[in-house]
């Protein structure tokens, strides 16, 4: 005959077993998601190598470009490192005033921080790697993007093409390399995601941050992560999470949005240098380049790219003024610049 104590012991044992199974299941799910993403990265790398080979073969048949298109010499290439004359005396405290931001900005970040999970990020990357959303030129993409108002930005309510031209023109006035100017023009082009398979603006715009490890307080409105289910997962809520010390940011999943999306598009379709690709991928990673967080995930390559991202951020942030440029007046200059670094002209988005 079973006593009350034996029944209680049996019940506790079953509960312990259930908890253990749940933990094991979560662990297996986490590893499975990582495996899926690794496989997709490999497929994407093979695809990227194939596209580069095809582009190189095509470029062999292209006639020599005009003299002003030739690759700059070392001195001119390094000019991107020089401090901006255009924003030397800017009042930086007048930008990113989130404590004064309107309700739409705060509500945006509450939703973003709740829904940017590891599971969602892996699914988003699989979606990106397994389909093409549109085929069009970069300039056509900029024109399409012009209908979007970024709900996460407290500094401007101008159209996307206005901000793109503001940034590019500021870089151009400082006599930076042509590839740098192009980054200014296209750095936000990934916001086209909003018109494709996004679930709102929360997976398109806003500051970015790593998922799969502990959410740091240096992320804007960090208190709103309390609704994110990943903080309850032991795989994801430690300092390193699913990553390792100095593993390199290329192995880290940053919250999915326009930065990651456009980085992969440009990596597959352009001849932009590594510094340009880093500017595109990390320009919204403010906890890193603005607050100095996550340095323990960086490798030597990231330290080199950090300088480039910081150099670009000056133009991205401080060009947000009320001055608007004549799009038609600048169109031909920038279309020529686009063709220089996107040889295929029609891009898979």
């Amino acid at each position: 005959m079973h006593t009350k104590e034996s029944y209680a012991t049996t019940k506790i044992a079953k509960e312990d077993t259930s908890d253990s199974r749940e933990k094991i299941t979560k662990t297996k799910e986490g590893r499975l998601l990582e495996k899926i993403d690794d496989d997709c990265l490999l497929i994407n790398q093979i695809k990227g190598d194939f596209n580069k080979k095809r582009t190189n073969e095509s470029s062999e048949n292209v006639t020599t470009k005009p003299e002003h298109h030739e690759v700059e010499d070392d001195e001119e290439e390094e000019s991107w490192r020089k401090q901006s004359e255009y924003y030397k005396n800017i009042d930086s405290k007048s930008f990113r005033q989130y404590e004064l931001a309107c309700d739409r900005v705060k509500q945006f970040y509450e939703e973003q921080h709740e829904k940017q999970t590891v599971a969602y990020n892996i699914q988003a990357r699989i979606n990106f790697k397994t389909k093409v959303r549109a085929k069009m030129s970069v300039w056509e993409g900029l024109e399409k993007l012009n209908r979007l108002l970024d709900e996460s930005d407290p500094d401007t309510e101008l159209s996307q093409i206005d901000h793109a031209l503001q940034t590019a023109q500021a870089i151009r006035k400082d006599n930076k390399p042509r590839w740098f100017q192009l980054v200014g023009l296209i750095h936000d082009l990934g916001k086209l995601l909003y018109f494709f398979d996004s679930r709102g603006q929360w997976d398109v715009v806003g500051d970015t941050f790593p998922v799969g490890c502990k959410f740091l307080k240096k992320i804007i409105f960090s208190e709103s992560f309390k609704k994110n289910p990943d903080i309850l997962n032991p795989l994801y809520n430690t300092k390193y999470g699913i990553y390792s010390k100095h593993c390199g940011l290329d192995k880290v999943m940053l919250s999915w949005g326009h930065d990651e999306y456009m980085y992969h598009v440009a990596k597959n379709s352009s001849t932009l240098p590594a510094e340009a690709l880093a500017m595109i991928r990390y320009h919204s990673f403010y906890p890193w380049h603005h607050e100095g967080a996550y340095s323990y995930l960086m490798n030597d390559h990231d330290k080199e790219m950090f300088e480039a991202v910081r150099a670009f951020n000056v133009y991205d942030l401080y060009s947000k003024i009320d001055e608007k440029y004549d799009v038609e007046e600048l169109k031909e200059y920038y279309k020529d610049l686009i063709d220089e670094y996107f040889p295929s002209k029609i891009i898979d988005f």
Side-chain angles (χ1 to χ4, degrees):
M1 180 178 292
H2 294 289
T3 64
K4 290 184 178 180
E5 289 185 1
S6 66
Y7 276 122
T9 302
T10 302
K11 183 178 179 181
I12 291 172
K14 287 181 177 179
E15 290 176 351
D16 288 343
T17 302
S18 177
D19 290 342
S20 298
R21 285 176 179 169
E22 185 177 356
K23 289 178 181 178
I24 292 170
T25 300
K26 284 183 177 179
T27 301
K28 286 183 177 179
E29 287 176 353
R31 289 173 180 165
L32 178 60
L33 289 173
E34 290 176 63
K35 181 65 169 60
I36 292 172
D37 190 50
D38 287 343
D39 290 343
C40 287
L41 284 172
L42 178 60
I43 292 171
N44 197 46
Q45 183 179 351
I46 294 171
K47 178 183 175 184
D49 291 342
F50 173 75
N51 287 336
K52 284 182 180 179
K53 182 179 178 182
R54 185 175 60 181
T55 299
N56 290 337
E57 290 174 349
S58 298
S59 57
E60 289 177 359
N61 300 320
V62 177
T63 56
T64 305
K65 295 177 180 179
E67 185 177 346
H68 73 279
H69 281 178
E70 291 178 2
V71 177
E72 298 93 336
D73 58 29
D74 292 342
E75 183 179 348
E76 191 173 355
E77 271 294 296
E78 289 297 304
S79 67
W80 66 264
R81 297 180 185 274
K82 296 178 183 178
Q83 183 181 8
S84 168
E85 292 295 326
Y86 197 58
Y87 298 114
K88 184 179 291 185
N89 300 314
I90 198 78
D91 179 15
S92 61
K93 294 181 180 179
S94 62
F95 294 85
R96 288 180 63 80
Q97 294 292 316
Y98 282 101
E99 63 275 10
L100 303 176
C102 60
D103 289 341
R104 72 169 170 82
V105 176
K106 295 175 182 177
Q107 290 167 1
F108 162 83
Y109 276 106
E110 287 181 359
E111 183 176 22
Q112 184 205 44
H113 291 173
E114 177 183 356
K115 295 179 178 179
Q116 284 280 359
T117 62
V118 170
Y120 172 73
N121 271 267
I122 290 176
Q123 184 61 59
R125 284 163 172 79
I126 292 172
N127 290 343
F128 170 78
K129 295 164 187 173
T130 54
K131 69 178 180 180
V132 174
R133 294 152 189 77
K135 289 179 178 287
M136 57 186 165
S137 69
V138 170
W139 189 264
E140 287 172 333
L142 286 167
E143 291 179 327
K144 182 178 180 66
L145 183 62
N146 210 32
R147 291 179 282 160
L148 175 67
L149 173 64
D150 187 339
E151 293 180 352
S152 71
D153 195 337
D155 295 323
T156 185
E157 293 193 2
L158 291 177
S159 71
Q160 294 299 305
I161 203 165
D162 286 328
H163 172 56
L165 288 173
Q166 282 178 338
T167 309
Q169 283 293 96
I171 295 168
R172 185 182 176 190
K173 286 179 181 179
D174 258 350
N175 297 312
K176 300 301 182 184
R178 288 171 65 80
W179 63 260
F180 199 155
Q181 297 172 36
L182 182 58
V183 171
L185 185 73
I186 68 170
H187 71 283
D188 278 342
L189 186 56
K191 292 179 182 179
L192 284 169
L193 269 176
Y194 182 73
F195 303 108
F196 300 141
D197 51 2
S198 74
R199 299 185 182 181
Q201 287 209 15
W202 63 266
D203 59 350
V204 178
V205 300
D207 287 8
T208 58
F209 46 86
V211 297
C213 60
K214 187 176 182 179
F215 300 119
L216 300 185
K217 290 184 178 181
K218 290 189 176 181
I219 303 172
I220 194 68
F221 297 128
S222 60
E223 64 278 2
S224 57
F225 281 110
K226 62 187 178 183
K227 293 183 179 180
N228 189 304
D230 282 358
I231 66 171
L232 301 176
N233 192 321
L235 278 173
Y236 308 143
N237 60 15
T238 61
K239 179 178 179 178
Y240 295 106
I242 60 176
Y243 312 114
S244 59
K245 187 175 182 179
H246 300 309
C247 62
L249 294 179
D250 61 323
K251 295 180 176 64
V252 173
M253 279 193 297
L254 296 179
S255 52
W256 181 253
H258 73 282
D259 301 53
E260 283 286 290
Y261 171 57
M262 190 59 205
Y263 161 72
H264 287 293
V265 170
K267 186 179 179 182
N268 291 339
S269 304
S270 78
T271 59
L272 287 167
E275 291 84 0
L277 295 176
M279 291 172 181
I280 293 170
R281 188 184 185 212
Y282 302 123
H283 74 271
S284 299
F285 191 10
Y286 275 88
W288 178 57
H289 65 69
H290 201 67
E291 301 293 338
Y294 298 104
S295 60
Y296 46 83
L297 296 177
M298 295 169 61
N299 60 18
D300 290 340
H301 177 70
D302 298 325
K303 293 174 184 177
E304 295 176 10
M305 295 302 103
F306 182 82
E307 185 180 350
V309 177
R310 292 270 293 177
F312 173 73
N313 179 247
V314 172
Y315 299 100
D316 181 23
L317 185 58
Y318 302 148
S319 65
K320 295 174 181 177
I321 55 179
D322 292 333
E323 180 182 3
K324 295 176 67 173
Y325 290 96
D326 186 329
V327 177
E328 289 302 316
E329 182 180 322
L330 296 173
K331 183 176 180 178
E332 289 308 312
Y333 175 83
Y334 284 109
K335 286 182 73 175
D336 184 52
L337 191 57
I338 290 166
D339 290 346
E340 183 175 344
Y341 291 95
F342 285 84
S344 296
K345 294 185 174 55
I346 301 301
I347 309 302
D348 290 348
F349 283 94

